Amino acid sequence: MSGKLAIVVPCYQEEEVLEETSSQLTAVLESLITEQAVSPDSFILFVNDGSTDNTWPIIRKLHDSNKYVCGVNLAGNVGHQNALVAGLSFAVEHSDMTITIDADLQDDINAIREMVKCFNEGKDIVYGVRQNRDSDTWFKRTSAQGYYRMMKFMGVNLVYNHADFRLMSKRALLHLLSFRERNLFLRGMVPTIGYDTSIVYYDRAERFAGESKYPLRKMMTLAFDGITSFSTKPVHLVLYVGVISMFVAFVILCWTLYTWLFKETVPGWASIMISFWFCSGSVLTGLGIVGEYVGKIYIEVKDRPRYNIESILTHEQEN
Ligand code: UDP
Ligand code: MG
């Protein structure tokens, strides 16, 4: 008996791409069903992340006309990572494996076939990894590469060039969903699950239509969450910088005393000002970084729900 597949697609302001995405995913799903690689009651789950455009009406329409399409409508915009968790929490109860994929067709949907094959061979997690970043801007490419290096330095285990295009078995997903944290960085959390994994390589395309919903600000927030949710190294670094700057200040003090006692010239204010600015700068940086962690603890302690569901569309009764 082949397993039941759920393809989870987070959608935020994606009215321009949804119909095309749905028809391409349906084609892949149908051929997988024909080949008996997945069970006939497999489905595609569009998660509307509080879009203000026609995304939800389009999902509703697709649900009416396409027996594979289901939908979850979130009551507000909670961001990509939370929208994924919302979709996965629904999917885990209705499937044996889930694949998460962006709505914009940047990830190669043909990799889905390979992922399912790996699952059927016994893998629990299959990462979709981009072979190249030609479709990205120069800025995104270099900043992403620098980020992976930095995360490695911070001791965080990430799969290089893997975003959120991945297959997970039910048991891997149940484990992921048992993580209670609010500061989500799924691509950092998944490698900590363990189990047997595998990688499928693909070429990342341009966005099919519409604009990126990840402006620089959101990208930086995600990158920052990635660091502060997984590593306390920044706090250690602050300590090192603090100790070093105190040492520098001490050296400057000795030098000033020396020139004052043994030389005619009155030392200039430059050295004092430099050390003043340096010390207060490093203290503020230190406070800022510690503050970021305290802020994270504040969010975690409140333990608020990650999302709220407005409505769900399924074909359960008909299947
Ligand atoms: N997305 C979402 N909520 C948000 C922002 C984005 O669900 O607040 C979805 C979006 O619809 C898409 C995926 O997350 O399916 C990735 O976004 P996008 O393609 O804009 O990011 P990029 O590929 O440019 O990094
Ligand atoms: Mg995209």
Side-chain angles (χ1 to χ4, degrees):
M1 238 308 261
S2 45
K4 183 170 173 183
L5 168 67
I7 304 178
V8 176
V9 192
C11 311
Y12 177 61
Q13 316 285 60
E14 298 286 10
E15 60 182 7
E16 287 166 278
V17 298
L18 267 182
E19 293 188 17
E20 182 62 27
T21 307
S22 161
S23 73
Q24 292 202 18
L25 286 175
T26 305
V28 170
L29 197 56
E30 269 178 339
S31 76
L32 285 171
I33 292 170
T34 317
E35 293 159 23
Q36 296 186 337
V38 300
S39 78
D41 52 355
S42 298
F43 62 98
I44 304 165
L45 180 71
F46 290 110
V47 182
N48 175 34
D49 184 16
S51 309
T52 49
D53 65 356
N54 274 325
T55 299
W56 183 245
I58 293 174
I59 295 173
R60 253 199 334 245
K61 202 179 82 196
L62 291 167
H63 168 258
D64 292 341
S65 60
N66 183 332
K67 65 175 174 168
Y68 300 113
V69 171
C70 302
V72 168
N73 190 19
L74 299 182
N77 179 254
V78 290
H80 181 208
Q81 302 287 297
N82 285 311
L84 277 174
V85 170
L88 290 172
S89 304
F90 174 82
V92 76
E93 289 165 24
H94 300 85
S95 65
D96 303 309
M97 64 186 124
T98 51
I99 291 180
T100 45
I101 185 168
D102 289 352
D104 56 7
L105 297 173
Q106 279 194 287
D107 303 321
D108 181 8
I109 55 164
N110 297 310
I112 291 178
R113 179 178 304 273
E114 191 68 24
M115 287 180 171
V116 170
K117 194 167 151 244
C118 293
F119 172 83
N120 287 335
E121 285 164 3
K123 304 288 181 192
D124 276 278
I125 301 170
V126 188
Y127 298 105
V129 170
R130 340 175 168 177
Q131 225 145 19
N132 62 51
R133 281 186 168 263
D134 297 348
S135 65
D136 281 348
T137 60
W138 176 87
F139 175 74
K140 195 152 185 171
R141 201 163 52 229
T142 22
S143 59
Q145 271 159 3
Y147 186 66
Y148 282 109
R149 283 208 194 98
M150 187 176 65
M151 290 302 269
K152 202 163 177 191
F153 169 74
M154 302 268 178
V156 187
N157 179 19
L158 287 184
V159 178
Y160 191 65
N161 270 348
H162 161 71
D164 283 305
F165 182 27
R166 75 177 81 81
L167 176 144
M168 292 180 81
S169 69
K170 190 177 185 123
R171 65 173 187 157
L173 188 53
L174 280 171
H175 185 75
L176 179 73
L177 293 173
S178 73
F179 287 38
R180 301 305 312 153
E181 63 214 73
R182 292 292 167 278
N183 298 289
L184 286 176
F185 188 62
L186 294 173
R187 67 196 73 168
M189 290 151 71
V190 174
T192 65
I193 296 176
Y195 293 145
D196 213 0
T197 67
S198 159
I199 287 179
V200 169
Y201 292 95
Y202 68 97
D203 289 325
R204 188 157 160 106
E206 300 273 353
R207 214 172 208 286
F208 175 73
E211 305 224 310
S212 172
K213 309 298 179 296
Y214 256 101
L216 190 61
R217 188 178 50 80
K218 271 195 189 174
M219 221 165 77
M220 303 261 287
T221 310
L222 182 70
F224 207 73
D225 271 352
I227 299 170
T228 50
S229 313
F230 282 89
S231 171
T232 47
K233 233 178 181 157
V235 180
H236 295 298
L237 285 178
V238 165
L239 185 68
Y240 298 145
V241 172
V243 171
I244 290 169
S245 55
M246 277 196 303
F247 180 71
V248 171
F250 181 69
V251 171
I252 293 174
L253 181 76
C254 292
W255 183 75
T256 317
L257 275 176
Y258 169 78
T259 48
W260 184 59
L261 284 177
F262 301 107
K263 296 198 175 172
E264 287 294 304
T265 51
V266 178
W269 53 269
S271 53
I272 297 166
M273 288 311 265
I274 289 169
S275 51
F276 169 75
W277 282 103
F278 182 68
C279 290
S280 45
S282 53
V283 167
L284 283 179
T285 313
L287 269 180
I289 294 182
V290 173
E292 283 292 338
Y293 282 92
V294 175
K296 291 258 145 104
I297 296 168
Y298 172 67
I299 300 283
E300 299 293 344
V301 164
K302 279 197 288 189
D303 201 27
R304 287 189 176 169
R306 290 160 165 157
Y307 52 84
N308 186 18
I309 293 177
E310 165 80 43
S311 51
I312 296 179
L313 297 173
T314 60
H315 293 285
E316 292 268 278
Q317 303 87 334
E318 301 145 48
N319 281 330

